[in-house]
Amino acid sequence: MRISSILLVTALGFAQAPRARVDLTGYWVSVISEDWRWRMVTPIKGDFASIPVNAEARKMGEAWDPAKDDDAGLQCKSYGAPALMRIPGRVHITWQDDDTLKVETDAGTQTRLFHFNTKALPNTAPSWQGYSAAQWEPPVAGLGIPDNFGIFARRTGNQGRSLEVTTTALRAGYLRKNGVPYSENTVVNEYYDYHKEPNGDEWFTVTTVVRDPKYLTMPFITSSDFKKQRDASGWDPASCSSR
């Protein structure tokens, strides 16, 4: 009887534990160690490498004309939520209120809002950043097997938890600045993992999964790294650019 009571109390304790959090607030700078040809410069027209585009997307990408985007006031088409975290620059993360995490970027001066405790998607007009519903993931379960060689070791300092964000209600835009399209039906899933190195450096990695039934033949997956800064040094808001 006593053992059963202990087990019940333990189970209730886990069920009532406060939601897991990691501190993502502050200024962060993107650290680019891969995909330089697509991230540091505007790719050439028709460069679809690594993106699983279909024939319709290729046709649209090959017709890309930045001058037309300028004339139409659509310079921010490559700064939407599906592509924003891949753009070189800095982000500033703060809590707007108890249930809303705000992510600002100096590239394109964009603002994303991650909404917690949301039960239903409000009637939101499509926009570059869409509507983002967020939740904290539980700790990653252990593998339960011996690991004498460190093959399965977690990253040093990793909290074993992620922030999961799902974004919908998007305005059609570009996955890359060279006109590779995504549609208004796109859904973006993101996983923000925080870790701290032995020397005190703090990092987060965001894994982004873009699903678009109109232009992609399969999910487009990328991962982007950010290092925390001590202050706002280097923060330099700039307008969107179509080139």
Side-chain angles (χ1 to χ4, degrees), residues 65-77 128 171 240-242:
D65 184 348
K68 290 184 178 180
D69 289 336
D70 287 338
D71 292 342
L74 297 174
Q75 295 91 337
C76 290
K77 288 189 76 172
W128 299 130
R171 188 177 180 181
C240 296
S241 171
S242 60

Side-chain angles (χ1 to χ4, degrees), residues 114-145:
F114 296 168
H115 302 277
F116 293 81
N117 295 330
T118 181
K119 294 182 179 180
L121 176 66
N123 186 16
T124 304
S127 64
W128 299 130
Q129 304 311 324
Y131 183 86
S132 298
Q135 66 178 7
W136 297 102
E137 289 190 320
V140 177
L143 294 173
I145 59 176

Side-chain angles (χ1 to χ4, degrees), residues 10-61:
T10 301
L12 289 173
F14 280 117
Q16 296 174 357
R19 63 183 182 179
R21 292 175 181 265
V22 293
D23 185 10
L24 295 175
T25 60
Y27 287 90
W28 306 77
V29 61
S30 58
V31 178
I32 301 174
S33 58
E34 41 76 39
D35 286 354
W36 276 66
R37 67 183 259 200
W38 302 305
R39 299 178 65 186
M40 297 301 294
V41 297
T42 300
I44 62 173
K45 181 189 293 189
D47 185 352
F48 309 106
S50 85
I51 302 181
V53 294
N54 59 20
E56 185 177 1
R58 286 181 175 274
K59 182 179 179 179
M60 289 193 64

Side-chain angles (χ1 to χ4, degrees), residues 101-118:
L101 195 65
K102 181 166 69 172
V103 180
E104 300 170 280
T105 69
D106 62 354
T109 57
Q110 298 295 302
T111 299
R112 303 184 65 190
L113 297 177
F114 296 168
H115 302 277
F116 293 81
N117 295 330
T118 181

Side-chain angles (χ1 to χ4, degrees), residues 2 7 14 43 46 50 68 79-80 83 85 94 112 117 124-125 143-144 162 167 170 184 191 203 222 226 228 236:
R2 183 173 180 178
L7 291 176
F14 280 117
S50 85
K68 290 184 178 180
Y79 293 79
M85 303 306 284
T94 56
R112 303 184 65 190
N117 295 330
T124 304
L143 294 173
S162 294
T167 301
L170 287 161
E184 65 279 0
Y191 305 89
W203 295 76
T222 57
F226 292 81
K228 193 168 190 178
D236 185 23

Side-chain angles (χ1 to χ4, degrees), residues 143-203:
L143 294 173
I145 59 176
D147 183 17
N148 297 327
F149 300 99
I151 297 173
F152 301 105
R154 295 177 182 174
R155 294 173 301 190
T156 302
N158 185 28
Q159 301 298 307
R161 302 167 193 267
S162 294
L163 170 64
E164 180 180 353
V165 180
T166 300
T167 301
T168 54
L170 287 161
R171 188 177 180 181
Y174 298 148
L175 290 173
R176 286 190 187 138
K177 191 167 282 192
N178 65 339
V180 182
Y182 65 83
S183 75
E184 65 279 0
N185 297 320
T186 295
V187 176
V188 181
N189 295 103
E190 297 170 288
Y191 305 89
Y192 291 76
D193 290 301
Y194 166 91
H195 66 281
K196 189 173 185 178
E197 298 298 335
N199 65 356
D201 288 347
E202 297 178 76
W203 295 76

